[in-house]
Amino acid sequence: MSESFTIAIDGPAAAGKGTISKAVAAHYGFGHLDTGLLYRAVGARMLEGVAPIEAAQNLTPDDLARDDLRGPEVAQAASKVAVVAEVRAALVDFQRAFARRVGGAVLDGRDIGTVICPYAQVKLFVTASAEVRARRRFLELTAAGKVISLEEVLADVKARDDRDMNRAEAPLKPAEDAVLIDTSDLSIEDALAAALAVIEERRSAS
Ligand code: C5P
């Protein structure tokens, strides 16, 4: 195996890619970067009145460590700043450097297999129906004490899907050589097993 081994995991919100990415990284002892967090941090700064490009060019570790990045307002703001080419450009180097880290890396996001790491040894596209994803996000948010309806969450998910898939810069879509995993009817264990099966095959080939 070469020194750096990169696993790119893309897909829409709440498809399970975060859970799979964390588990895969833990399984192999690889580093994990949730790239959505970068866009969320920029979105949170925008909500505070900072211009998105300026925020992206000056992100600090503290911005990424904020504990208010998981809510639906920040998610919507993230998908709004994510359409701006200069915002995306400002975040590229950090992601690519992480992907090349010695010992292996798992990156999850929307454009990892298509734009950030087109050379990745493994590309997965993790998806699920909008209804299933909304229900999962709804359960997460209400468990965390957020008062929100399932309908609102579904509308949020669909608005974000629409913005992410239809933007000019790095739209959300599977890379041509990505393996699709639809988690709509899969347990977490089965989704992880499907991901590991693909990765094992690639690792033995590299
Ligand atoms: O993955 P997460 O839901 O945290 O991402 C928040 C938003 O950030 C997404 O809806 C998307 O607009 C943006 N994003 C992106 N490219 C990535 C990761 C996230 O455009 N690689």
Side-chain angles (χ1 to χ4, degrees):
M1 196 177 97
S2 57
E3 275 203 328
S4 71
F5 190 90
T6 309
I7 301 175
I9 305 187
D10 290 305
K17 61 186 190 309
T19 306
I20 293 175
S21 300
K22 272 192 220 99
V24 164
H27 182 86
Y28 292 111
F30 287 5
H32 170 227
L33 180 64
D34 166 5
T35 65
L37 216 52
L38 303 173
Y39 293 90
R40 284 173 182 262
V42 176
R45 298 291 284 138
M46 180 184 76
L47 292 176
E48 290 168 351
V50 179
I53 298 172
E54 191 193 324
Q57 289 171 345
N58 297 290
L59 267 194
T60 66
D62 280 353
D63 292 328
L64 299 177
R66 295 168 61 140
D67 58 10
D68 62 346
L69 299 181
R70 290 283 158 210
E73 297 83 10
V74 173
Q76 288 298 334
S79 80
K80 287 179 187 159
V81 301
V83 305
V84 182
E86 292 88 343
V87 166
R88 307 199 69 84
L91 303 176
V92 165
D93 288 350
F94 177 77
Q95 296 175 80
R96 290 201 175 135
F98 189 93
R100 294 281 193 194
R101 75 194 280 285
V102 173
V106 183
L107 286 84
D108 74 86
R110 302 291 188 289
D111 62 340
I112 308 303
T114 49
V115 174
I116 302 295
C117 306
Y119 59 81
Q121 283 89 342
V122 181
K123 296 180 192 176
L124 301 177
F125 193 86
V126 179
T127 188
S129 73
E131 287 70 22
V132 167
R133 291 185 288 119
R135 175 161 293 279
R136 286 179 190 157
R137 192 43 54 89
F138 171 73
L139 293 174
E140 260 171 44
L141 290 169
T142 49
K146 177 98 187 159
V147 179
I148 194 162
S149 70
L150 180 58
E151 289 68 31
E152 281 174 276
V153 180
L154 180 60
D156 268 9
V157 161
K158 286 184 170 167
R160 209 138 64 86
D161 281 358
D162 186 51
R163 216 177 284 123
D164 290 350
M165 291 190 291
N166 294 310
R167 67 186 176 214
E169 289 292 322
L172 169 65
K173 63 173 182 198
E176 273 176 20
D177 51 349
V179 176
L180 251 69
I181 299 178
D182 187 327
T183 67
S184 301
D185 298 316
L186 295 183
S187 64
I188 293 174
E189 292 73 24
D190 288 347
L192 178 59
L196 289 175
V198 178
I199 299 165
E200 276 305 301
E201 188 201 312
R202 298 295 157 82
R203 268 166 61 93
S204 53
S206 70

